[in-house]
Amino acid sequence: MNIQERLSRLSPAKRAMFERRARGEASAPFQVGLIPQQEHATYLLSIEQEQIWFIHQLNPESFFLHISTAYSLVGQLNVEALEAAVNEIIDRHENLRTVFTEVEGQPMAVVLPSLRLRLTPVEIGGAPGPEREARMHQAITGEIHRTFDLSTGPLIRPVLLRLSEEEHALLVIIHHIATDRLSLDIFWHEVITLYDAFSKGEPSPLPPLPIQYGDFALWQRERFQSETMAEHLAYWKEKLTDAPTLSLATDYPRPPVPIYPGARERWTIPPDQWESFTALGLAESATRFTMFLALFSVLIYRYAGEEDLLIGSPVNNRDRVEVQGLIGYFLNTLGLRVDLSGEPTFRELLARTRKVVLEAIAHQDLSISRVLPELKVRRDGNAPLYQVGFVYTNNVADPAAQALSLNISGLKIFYDSTPMVDMAFNAFDAAVGGAIAIDYNTSLFTQATVRRMIGHFGVLLEGALADPDRRISALPMLGEDERARLLSGLNDTARDYPRARLLHHDFEARAASDPDTVALLFEGERVTYGELDARAGRVARRLRALGVGAEALVGVCLERSPGM
């Protein structure tokens, strides 16, 4: 069904609003209830939603598409006001009461006319301490892992945990098809605003939303038919054709069916390095996004030895004012192809990376999801095209400030990391400093490996800031402790050994003591120590018979085999 047919099925008021948006005109304010309640509004999914829908179909029982946060709330809590605030947000944002079905092979979104959720406190109990924390963590993990049914909904699950009369934790889980991380910030901002008003008996102070997510989805698909999108498509096809596959070594074999259990490791950049980091960026006309991307690229290059890297980086596709306050999935992933060939210095790499970033931003209106069909990339649940992601977050707010406006203190955020790639590098940029974190797939990597990578990043950062004109292959990566352990610790292999004893004497002793132990494996063939000693003896006797003695040279010409 094309866009015009879809438009013809909308109510006159909604169709007129969409057409004004398609022409770039200001939209009329959207009022809840504008869509006739006797029928559910339906629309084609956005391009990004369609990709999430496809991934969900491959593994509907998985929880890796669940986006979640939880806040601990300390103080007298008005549960009725909090429940009313959550339901008011669901009323405001159609996307939170939307379900998804399939019509003749085409996924469709269906907006439910209403949806009311209850916030019945779940009792955690127990005295304060590790045991109660463990109970709360278990309850949160269980809720996060509970699956959603896209066809019936709801796709938002708020859970209120009661620890005591004045201690609660509010957990909110939303399926990724209905939200992104920035939308969660909008959700919590509205919760705080509405709770403050409802607990005082006041009406909602939030202004009506100008549009809904369905309007954006329709407008986006119409926009993709323009000549501008054709130019964007040509650019991305050129950039992403023959994209490299990153061969980053993993600790565990890759599962036959992709799974995404996740964890996160974080590191705060020291203040003196943050100042130098900022100064170098200003001197090189490089944004912090570009600086972080270049450093992470060097880290991957040093680990994998790859000079052509394709890194996926999500950007918030909210360039229009109408969508600034909407809860929905607006993320658009850019494919950043970084060239590290030719032994560049870090300063030279910054210039290359800046060019890559500027070009990608100029063409950010078109997502990788839209380009995949043109590239004929097989979609099998693994991240298409790229295996490593880069996420940059600036202007990180202090959550305690939000807690005060809610008249609740002691805010704490619980993070459940489920990266949809092998590894995602995160950079955080706040007024007081910077930090990094690595989200990693625990079915592929161990915590020790990721912690070691973060340590190497810190050394690379220090080296690049100290000498940006040093070649990236020569930048230091080992800390003093690790260098000493490798050179002096693990390399300390000196052992007492009889000087008159030769290597083949040890082998013969082993063959005598363990003749049935396997000494050699080759293409399914097994040779024990006893058999190998016997074969070697036959070769030795044959050479002696041919006149070979001490200090004689014997040429060996054999394929790799047990005979060799």
Side-chain angles (χ1 to χ4, degrees), residues 24 49 155 173 221 274 314 350 413 431 445 465 523:
Q49 277 186 318
L155 302 185
I173 309 138
R221 288 185 175 273
W274 183 246
L350 274 180
I413 299 177
F445 302 99
L465 295 177
E523 294 183 351

Side-chain angles (χ1 to χ4, degrees), residues 80-383:
E80 291 76 16
L82 186 60
E83 180 182 297
V86 170
N87 281 303
E88 176 67 16
I89 294 171
I90 294 173
D91 284 342
R92 281 172 53 79
H93 298 271
E94 287 182 358
N95 205 42
L96 294 180
R97 46 188 170 88
T98 297
V99 295
F100 299 86
T101 186
E102 189 174 353
V103 179
E104 297 179 354
Q106 175 68 54
M108 298 292 295
V110 180
V111 181
L112 303 179
S114 63
L115 175 64
R116 307 296 296 177
L117 300 179
R118 295 296 306 274
L119 269 185
T120 303
V122 177
E123 297 291 342
I124 298 298
E131 182 181 352
R132 192 176 70 174
E133 288 288 330
R135 288 184 185 179
M136 182 169 62
H137 183 269
Q138 183 179 12
I140 288 176
T141 302
E143 291 293 343
I144 290 173
H145 291 187
R146 194 152 59 91
T147 57
F148 289 103
D149 187 335
L150 296 190
S151 63
T152 61
L155 302 185
I156 175 174
R157 185 161 58 239
V159 182
L160 183 61
L161 307 175
R162 189 201 301 274
L163 286 75
S164 69
E165 284 298 320
E166 295 193 356
E167 293 178 279
H168 295 78
L170 178 60
L171 168 68
V172 174
I173 309 138
I174 309 177
H175 196 281
H176 206 353
I177 201 168
T179 191
D180 53 28
R181 286 283 171 192
L182 183 58
S183 292
L184 279 183
D185 293 339
I186 296 171
F187 178 89
W188 287 110
H189 172 75
E190 292 194 355
V191 163
I192 292 165
T193 303
L194 292 168
Y195 175 85
D196 186 58
F198 292 168
S199 61
K200 298 175 183 176
E202 299 173 355
S204 168
L206 298 176
L209 293 171
I211 65 167
Q212 291 291 337
Y213 189 85
D215 302 305
F216 165 79
L218 289 167
W219 171 78
Q220 182 194 56
R221 288 185 175 273
E222 179 77 8
R223 194 180 184 194
F224 280 154
Q225 299 178 8
S226 68
E227 292 182 4
T228 301
M229 287 298 130
E231 296 174 5
H232 292 329
L233 181 59
Y235 170 81
W236 286 117
K237 285 177 66 175
E238 178 185 352
K239 281 293 179 183
L240 302 179
T241 297
D242 299 326
T245 300
L246 181 64
S247 57
L248 192 63
T250 61
D251 295 311
Y252 307 115
R254 191 175 296 277
V257 177
I259 57 175
Y260 296 90
R264 164 175 284 193
E265 290 294 325
R266 184 180 174 110
W267 176 69
T268 300
I269 299 174
D272 58 334
Q273 288 189 10
W274 183 246
E275 291 181 10
S276 300
F277 180 85
T278 303
L280 179 60
L282 290 173
E284 298 301 315
S285 300
T287 63
R288 286 171 178 164
F289 180 103
T290 300
M291 293 276 289
F292 276 120
L293 177 61
L295 281 164
F296 281 129
S297 298
V298 174
L299 182 68
I300 299 170
Y301 158 74
R302 295 288 292 273
Y303 262 78
E306 303 285 349
E307 297 181 338
D308 183 8
L309 299 179
L310 181 61
I311 301 173
S313 182
V315 294
N316 291 310
N317 189 19
R318 295 175 183 260
D319 55 338
R320 294 184 65 91
V321 67
E322 296 96 330
V323 303
Q324 295 294 318
L326 274 183
I327 291 176
Y329 184 35
F330 291 94
L331 284 183
N332 177 12
T333 301
L334 303 180
L336 303 174
R337 197 161 180 175
V338 183
D339 177 16
L340 299 99
S341 63
E343 293 283 306
T345 66
F346 183 70
R347 196 187 304 274
E348 291 169 343
L349 179 62
L350 274 180
R352 294 185 189 181
T353 308
R354 182 175 62 244
K355 183 175 183 294
V356 169
V357 171
L358 290 176
E359 286 185 358
I361 290 175
H363 297 279
Q364 67 176 325
D365 286 348
L366 197 66
S367 70
I368 281 183
S369 301
R370 177 64 180 84
V371 183
L372 287 179
E374 303 291 335
L375 299 176
K376 296 180 174 55
V377 174
R378 183 171 60 91
R379 301 192 295 182
D380 58 3
N382 289 305

Side-chain angles (χ1 to χ4, degrees), residues 450-472:
V450 177
R451 285 182 173 177
R452 188 163 56 250
M453 291 184 77
I454 286 181
H456 292 160
F457 177 87
V459 178
L460 281 173
L461 171 63
E462 184 177 11
L465 295 177
D467 187 4
D469 291 312
R470 194 170 185 177
R471 300 196 180 278
I472 59 173

